[in-house]
Amino acid sequence: MDRLSGLDASFLYLETPAQLMHVCGVIVVDPATMPAPYSFESLRDAIAAQVRDVPAFTKKLRRVPLGLDHPIWVRDRQFDIERHVHRLALPQPGGYRELTSLTGHLAGLPLDRSRPLWEMWVIEGYDDGKVVVFLKMHHATVDGVSGANLLSHLCSLEADQAPLAPPVEEHGRDVGARELLGRAVVSKLSLPVHAAKILAPTGQTVARTIGRARAGTAMAAPLTAPRTSFNGTITGHRSIGLCEMSLDDVRSVKSATGTTVNDVVLAVSGGALRAYLAERGELPDTSLLASVPVSVREHSRRSGGANKVSSLFARLGTDTEDPLERLGDMAAANKNAREHHNAISADSLQDWAEFAVPRTFGLAVRAYAGLRLAEKHPVVHNLVISNVPGPPMPLYFMGGRIAAMHPLGPVFHGAGVNITVASNDGKLHVGVIACRESMPDVDALVRHFPLELARLCDAVKDLEATATPIRSARSTRARKK
């Protein structure tokens, strides 16, 4: 029996018509490299052949009677690829704005929970003959890493090669109602024992966090974020913006400053958000706070569950104008945040998520949205920013070369913007999704990403030209002040 973990199930319970818990991807494919001429029917048939024996694509939810426990996964005996792979054409002129308008609309549509929780929209007529594959998968089935791994089973390293073979997996055993109910009762009775086991480690973690906070080495604290126009109650409407940046430029800044790729991505994001808010006359005096998902897959002791993820909080330096100062501050803060995060059990979030109760959780989320509580308490965090590493070489989706692959995560009440960045073939592809009422023109933010990276590159070149040690540049400027 394949029972959802508490963390996987939580993404089901968090979902409402406004707060949709699926992740998306905008994959731009060049069909000119396909061994045979492109047709939608042949592409759909090839996808069907590749996914038909993969549980992640062919399993569906089965609820436990009375909602006593988390649902289980069972095989969809009526799996039909035509229910999952759909065909659309862009209106003329078939450019970027038509694409982001259409994908924004699709991102705002919920997945059908009576079927396997994924959809793929094949969008034709983009950019002089390119095909866009818009993929949606529920967060209950994938996190960033597992989603990238799953997508790899539809891709190959050469145009004429077959996609990578999926691992051999078995579908979870379907069980009778009595057995399902009995297992749910046993699971409920074991929760006090589970709680006793994790209380002591949690108390130790809290004590260590207090110690780090006193020493000034803790990660940024939630509930300390300034309020912006995208920190309120969200609707189900979505707007999307896409752009790309040079991975070589990011790496050159990283190498010159002794930072990491993630530090540079966060610094660029902070600069873009600063510019966006300043243009609107909304720039807060204090820095925005981001929640940054972190994969704990390599450290988790749990074998089951699709989501093996935790989160840390990072200030984005939106109160700092100089891009190198922002990067230096962020690198130091991120080092403390990573050390703090690593000191916390990799399974702590998954352990506590086991106590999520389906009906109580769902009612609480709906009451929270209905009462607009996100606008009444301190802001937990301003937005979510993810950085997902991808392959350094070209990939081919069913024979078509992938020209761009933009990931998109969910948005939440209180944090109506999500920025996700993925590397692929020497480029960083940025996907920004927002509640349309909170950020109607996402491109007003997205256009600043390449500009902010260019500012960082220019600042590094200026320091190199004057032979100033880059790592001490911030302290040099501080002494001048």
Side-chain angles (χ1 to χ4, degrees):
M1 188 175 74
D2 186 7
R3 172 184 174 273
L4 275 73
S5 72
L7 187 54
D8 293 347
S10 294
F11 288 109
L12 295 174
Y13 310 152
L14 281 169
E15 189 165 58
T16 69
Q19 187 168 269
L20 299 170
M21 288 291 106
H22 50 246
V23 296
C24 307
V26 179
I27 307 168
V28 182
V29 178
D30 184 359
T33 64
M34 291 181 172
Y38 164 80
S39 73
F40 170 75
E41 291 77 14
S42 61
L43 179 66
R44 184 190 59 204
D45 292 345
I47 294 170
Q50 193 66 13
V51 306
R52 63 188 174 196
D53 295 321
V54 181
F57 287 105
T58 56
K59 63 186 181 182
K60 66 177 183 178
L61 293 168
R62 182 180 174 192
R63 300 187 181 279
V64 174
L66 305 178
L68 289 179
D69 198 8
H70 306 313
I72 64 171
W73 294 115
V74 297
R75 183 167 194 155
D76 183 3
R77 303 286 178 183
Q78 285 77 44
F79 177 77
D80 183 354
I81 194 66
E82 293 187 8
R83 300 289 187 180
H84 297 273
V85 180
H86 313 289
R87 183 184 194 181
L88 287 173
L90 276 184
Q92 292 301 310
Y96 170 81
R97 291 202 174 275
E98 288 77 24
L99 177 64
T100 53
S101 176
L102 176 56
T103 53
H105 170 71
L106 296 175
L109 301 177
L111 290 166
D112 184 349
R113 290 197 183 184
S114 68
R115 302 189 181 102
L117 295 178
W118 67 279
E119 282 183 337
M120 196 178 286
W121 298 81
V122 180
I123 303 170
E124 300 171 351
Y126 176 62
D127 190 22
D128 295 328
K130 290 188 176 65
V131 172
V132 175
V133 177
F134 185 71
L135 176 63
K136 294 165 58 174
M137 299 196 78
H138 202 283
H139 219 320
T141 65
V142 291
D143 60 14
V145 173
S146 62
N149 292 339
L150 199 59
L151 180 61
S152 70
H153 301 313
L154 300 175
C155 300
S156 60
L157 300 179
E158 298 291 342
D160 55 356
Q161 285 183 352
L164 301 176
V168 178
E169 295 181 63
E170 296 292 332
H171 281 85
R173 180 175 63 91
D174 203 352
V175 297
R178 287 186 179 181
E179 182 180 349
L180 194 58
L181 188 59
R183 287 178 176 269
V185 171
V186 171
S187 177
K188 284 294 180 186
L189 292 176
S190 67
L191 283 179
V193 177
H194 179 65
K197 289 180 178 179
I198 63 177
L199 276 175
T202 300
Q204 294 168 4
T205 297
V206 172
R208 287 195 294 266
T209 297
I210 293 172
R212 283 181 173 274
R214 289 174 176 170
T217 59
M219 73 175 78
L223 296 168
T224 60
R227 187 169 294 280
T228 71
S229 53
F230 47 81
N231 297 127
T233 303
I234 62 173
T235 71
H237 303 135
R238 298 291 178 264
S239 52
I240 285 175
L242 313 169
C243 72
E244 71 175 37
M245 301 184 292
S246 166
L247 183 56
D248 286 341
D249 286 348
V250 171
R251 284 174 173 163
S252 67
V253 172
K254 176 205 80 160
S255 299
T257 56
T259 56
T260 68
V261 168
N262 198 54
D263 292 335
V264 178
V265 168
L266 289 174
V268 169
S269 300
L273 286 159
R274 174 186 169 86
Y276 168 80
L277 291 169
E279 286 176 348
R280 295 169 56 90
E282 297 178 4
L283 182 63
D285 294 332
T286 57
S287 173
L288 266 60
L289 181 68
S291 174
V292 183
V294 178
S295 174
V296 296
R297 193 165 296 273
E298 295 181 0
H299 307 287
S300 175
R301 301 184 307 274
R302 292 174 173 266
S303 58
N307 284 272
K308 291 184 172 62
V309 68
S310 183
S311 183
L312 60 80
F313 294 94
R315 297 208 176 276
L316 297 176
T318 53
D319 54 343
T320 301
E321 181 177 4
D322 186 279
L324 275 182
E325 284 191 21
R326 184 186 308 117
L327 177 58
D329 290 345
M330 193 165 295
N334 286 346
K335 183 175 182 295
N336 288 334
R338 285 191 294 269
E339 291 174 352
H340 185 181
H341 180 268
N342 291 338
I344 301 172
S345 168
D347 295 322
S348 59
L349 182 58
Q350 297 178 75
D351 288 338
W352 282 106
E354 287 299 325
F355 293 92
V357 180
R359 291 185 179 178
T360 304
F361 219 76
L363 288 172
V365 172
R366 284 166 172 75
Y368 183 85
L371 296 172
R372 305 184 73 89
L373 295 181
E375 299 163 20
K376 299 174 183 177
H377 61 68
V379 178
V380 179
H381 58 100
N382 297 107
L383 72 162
V384 176
I385 302 180
S386 300
N387 181 21
V388 182
M393 73 288 288
L395 284 181
Y396 295 82
F397 182 90
M398 297 297 165
R401 179 165 178 159
I402 294 178
M405 188 159 48
H406 301 273
L408 300 161
V411 295
F412 302 87
H413 292 297
V417 176
N418 183 299
I419 298 171
T420 309
V421 180
S423 59
N424 176 52
D425 191 21
K427 299 182 180 68
L428 283 179
H429 293 116
V430 181
V432 180
I433 186 169
C435 166
R436 194 170 68 201
E437 283 73 18
S438 302
M439 186 180 284
D441 184 9
V442 176
D443 283 326
L445 168 61
V446 166
R447 67 184 180 84
H448 286 291
F449 278 83
L451 297 176
E452 285 300 315
L453 179 57
R455 287 186 68 207
L456 261 179
C457 290
D458 291 342
V460 167
K461 289 176 184 176
D462 289 344
L463 286 175
E464 288 176 334
T466 58
T468 304
I470 291 176
R471 292 189 186 188
S472 63
R474 181 176 178 273
S475 59
T476 299
R477 284 188 291 272
R479 286 196 296 271
K480 288 180 180 179
K481 291 179 182 178

